[in-house]
């Protein structure tokens, strides 16, 4: 079995595209992580790591260190008639399920509470593990921790419009102290995004443009306060620059996030085509296991309406398969024993048994996803460079104008 594990972990507090890049950098520096790519549009991070060197808890800790977070899934399993010894065994069984962070068994209530990392572990996986160990359990309440799917962009746009709303009065002929109030609201409101991000970067030595933006915001704000103290009317130019130094970087970040979401949207749709679990024959039973845990000798059962989890060869049965998601051909294909099947294809009708190819991780759809991921990474790099250059020039220019003598 391969020591490399691939997971897609959901994210929260993903405020802007810069946060996604910061997560990539933090995860890439984690010992044992081979690759990491954060999809800002889907609010999830795809991580490939070696399970003997790191684990999901360390990955989550690196995400939190980068200033974001990951939600947790909660599942309750209902059981009856367990002794304290059996209850402890049940807890051990649950803790051994991949993706489970913690588990607690309440004998009085007859409930086992399971806390899972947000990597898409299905409840059926827990059921299979418990039943294989001889426990009779049923699914109770399920609470899925939701990722910030595009709300990061929505939040960014709201902050941008709020900065515009608070900045417009600075154009009017208002008393200096009123202008200072508006600039203060800009700094502690929309501008707090840059201050918080800069603090995370300084604390974790992850240098980025947010440090420059935050420094310029505080410097110009200090200039506004200083001008009001020095003269009763203050400096109108400094107040205007105080509004621009918050609004314009937010506008640039909003445009960057919009372009990035458009670039990443097709990638998220393709990833949704790949099932996370597969029904596998294990002796006389059919068990549902994560696709990442499949081995070349496994026999996968296929049912109508299910997507094929990996590339392989049909051993027995007959299926009518829709391969449009993989090949682009909309014609249905009749598959018989010995015919190839491709991961991500939809089994429209019929049933059968599939043996995976030796290279389980190298499916046709997986290669297509990787090609698209490479294209997205290139676009992200270009967007980041253009955005960073624009922000640097903007911050230096606005700061210079704010303090330039009349």
């Amino acid at each position: 079995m391969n020591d490399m594990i691939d997971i897609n972990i959901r994210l929260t507090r993903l405020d802007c595209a810069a946060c996604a890049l910061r997560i990539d950098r933090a995860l890439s520096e984690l010992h044992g992580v081979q690759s990491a790519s954060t999809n800002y549009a889907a609010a999830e991070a795809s991580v490939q790591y070696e399970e003997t060197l790191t684990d999901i808890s360390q990955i989550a800790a690196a995400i939190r260190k980068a200033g974001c977070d990951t939600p947790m899934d909660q599942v309750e399993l209902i059981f009856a008639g367990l002794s304290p010894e059996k209850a402890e065994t049940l807890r051990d069984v649950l803790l051994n399920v991949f993706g489970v962070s913690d588990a607690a068994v309440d004998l009085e209530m007859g409930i086992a509470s399971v806390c899972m990392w947000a990597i898409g572990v299905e409840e059926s996986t827990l059921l299979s593990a418990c039943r294989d160990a001889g426990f009779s359990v049923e699914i109770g309440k399920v609470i899925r921790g939701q990722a910030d799917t595009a709300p990061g962009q929505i939040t960014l746009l709201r902050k941008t419009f709020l900065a515009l709303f608070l900045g417009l009065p600075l154009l009017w002929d208002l008393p200096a102290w009123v202008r200072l109030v508006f600039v203060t609201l800009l700094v502690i409101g929309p501008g707090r995004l840059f201050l918080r991000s800069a603090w995370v970067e300084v604390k974790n030595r992850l240098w980025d443009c947010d440090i420059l933006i935050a420094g310029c915001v505080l410097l110009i704000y200090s200039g506004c306060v200083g001008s009001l103290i020095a003269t009763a009317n203050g400096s109108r130019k400094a107040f205007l620059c105080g509004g621009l130094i918050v609004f314009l970087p937010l506008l640039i970040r909003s445009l960057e996030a919009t372009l990035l979401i458009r670039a990443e949207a097709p990638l998220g749709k393709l990833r949704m085509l790949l099932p996370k679990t597969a029904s596998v024959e294990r002796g006389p039973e059919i068990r549902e296991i994560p696709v990442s845990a499949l081995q070349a000798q496994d026999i996968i059962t296929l049912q109508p309406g299910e997507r094929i989890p990996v590339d392989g060869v049909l051993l027995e049965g007959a299926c009518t398969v829709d391969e449009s998601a993989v090949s682009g051909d909309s014609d249905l294909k009749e598959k018989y024993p010995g015919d190839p099947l491709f991961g991500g294809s939809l089994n429209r009708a019929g049933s059968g048994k599939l043996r995976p190819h030796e290279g389980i991780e190298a499916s046709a759809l997986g290669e297509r996803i990787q090609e698209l991921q490479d294209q997205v990474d290139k676009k992200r790099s270009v967007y980041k460079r253009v955005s960073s250059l624009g922000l640097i020039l903007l911050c230096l220019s606005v700061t210079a104008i704010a303090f330039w003598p009349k």
Side-chain angles (χ1 to χ4, degrees):
M1 185 174 175
N2 200 338
D3 287 336
M4 300 304 297
I5 300 293
D6 294 285
I7 62 170
N8 293 324
I9 186 166
R10 299 194 297 276
L11 302 171
T12 58
R13 296 172 60 192
L14 197 63
D15 295 328
C16 60
C19 298
L21 294 170
R22 197 162 60 233
I23 291 174
D24 288 349
R25 196 182 311 165
L27 291 175
S28 298
E29 293 175 354
L30 189 63
H31 182 58
V33 171
Q34 181 171 342
S35 64
S37 177
T38 302
N39 189 316
Y40 177 68
E44 68 175 20
S46 300
V47 187
Q48 185 180 60
Y49 67 96
E50 189 171 346
E51 61 179 344
T52 57
L53 298 179
T54 190
D55 56 27
I56 303 176
S57 63
Q58 295 183 47
I59 291 172
I63 291 172
R64 286 191 289 270
K65 181 180 178 182
C68 297
D69 209 342
T70 178
M72 303 295 288
D73 295 337
Q74 306 287 336
V75 177
E76 288 186 354
L77 301 177
I78 302 172
F79 62 87
L82 288 186
S83 63
E85 294 76 14
K86 286 287 187 180
E88 189 62 30
T89 303
L90 175 60
R91 182 176 182 273
D92 292 338
V93 169
L94 292 171
L95 288 174
N96 285 328
V97 176
F98 178 74
V100 171
S101 171
D102 196 11
V105 179
D106 190 330
L107 287 174
E108 294 183 1
M109 300 292 292
I111 293 175
S113 300
V114 185
C115 184
M116 301 186 298
W117 299 107
I119 59 172
V121 178
E122 300 292 335
E123 301 84 53
S124 55
T125 305
L126 298 175
L127 286 179
S128 298
C130 293
R131 289 169 180 172
D132 290 344
F135 293 98
S136 177
V137 297
E138 299 294 336
I139 295 292
K141 184 166 61 175
V142 178
I143 303 175
R144 292 288 186 190
Q146 297 300 314
D148 290 339
T149 308
Q153 184 202 21
I154 295 174
T155 301
L156 200 55
L157 288 173
R158 286 176 179 171
K159 289 180 181 294
T160 304
F161 282 112
L162 179 59
L164 178 62
F165 176 76
L166 293 174
L168 284 176
L170 297 175
L171 298 172
W172 305 338
D173 188 16
L174 298 174
W177 68 269
V178 175
R179 290 178 184 168
L180 182 62
V181 169
F182 277 107
V183 173
T184 302
L185 292 175
L186 278 164
V187 172
I188 65 176
R192 187 173 56 183
L193 171 68
F194 300 118
L195 300 178
R196 173 180 168 271
S197 182
W199 169 246
V200 172
E201 290 172 2
V202 171
K203 185 172 62 174
N204 298 298
R205 299 179 182 179
L206 301 171
W207 310 108
D208 208 341
C209 283
D210 286 348
I211 296 177
L212 175 63
I213 298 171
C216 291
V217 168
L218 295 177
L219 184 61
I220 293 177
Y221 181 74
S222 300
C224 293
V225 175
S227 69
L228 185 60
I229 295 174
T231 61
N233 294 325
S235 171
R236 183 174 183 178
K237 182 175 63 173
F239 290 127
L240 287 174
C241 290
L244 291 174
I245 198 62
V246 175
F247 169 69
L248 292 179
L250 283 172
L251 181 61
I252 291 177
R253 282 287 164 80
S254 296
L255 293 174
E256 179 189 4
T258 301
L259 292 173
L260 193 55
I261 284 178
R262 289 182 179 178
E264 291 177 341
L267 184 61
K269 292 178 180 178
L270 276 183
R271 281 179 173 157
M272 289 177 63
L273 297 177
L274 284 177
K276 293 182 173 59
T277 60
S279 299
V280 177
E281 287 187 352
R282 291 290 166 89
E285 298 182 348
I286 304 296
R287 293 180 54 188
E288 192 165 0
I289 66 172
V291 171
S292 59
L294 285 173
Q295 303 181 41
Q297 67 269 22
D298 284 331
I299 303 298
I300 302 171
T301 62
L302 303 176
Q303 299 297 328
E306 295 181 347
R307 289 203 176 270
I308 298 169
V310 292
D311 289 4
V313 177
L314 188 63
L315 293 180
E316 60 180 76
C319 301
T320 303
V321 179
D322 180 358
E323 297 180 348
S324 59
V326 180
S327 64
D329 187 356
S330 59
D331 294 334
L332 298 180
K333 303 290 191 304
E334 299 294 334
K335 299 288 184 176
Y336 300 99
D339 289 341
L341 294 173
F342 302 103
S345 301
L346 179 62
N347 181 23
R348 292 286 187 182
S351 59
K353 295 182 179 180
L354 167 73
R355 182 183 294 280
H357 285 324
E358 292 292 334
I360 294 174
E361 68 284 351
S363 65
L365 185 58
E367 292 176 356
R368 187 176 171 187
I369 289 174
Q370 186 57 51
E371 291 176 1
L372 190 56
Q373 179 66 64
D374 292 340
Q375 295 175 14
V376 170
D377 288 343
K378 290 179 181 178
K379 289 182 179 179
R380 180 188 296 160
S381 178
V382 172
Y383 295 159
K384 176 61 178 174
R385 289 176 183 175
V386 173
S387 172
S388 298
L389 180 60
L391 288 170
I392 291 173
L393 293 175
L394 172 68
C395 290
L396 295 179
S397 300
V398 173
T399 304
I401 293 172
F403 290 95
W404 194 266
K406 293 183 178 181

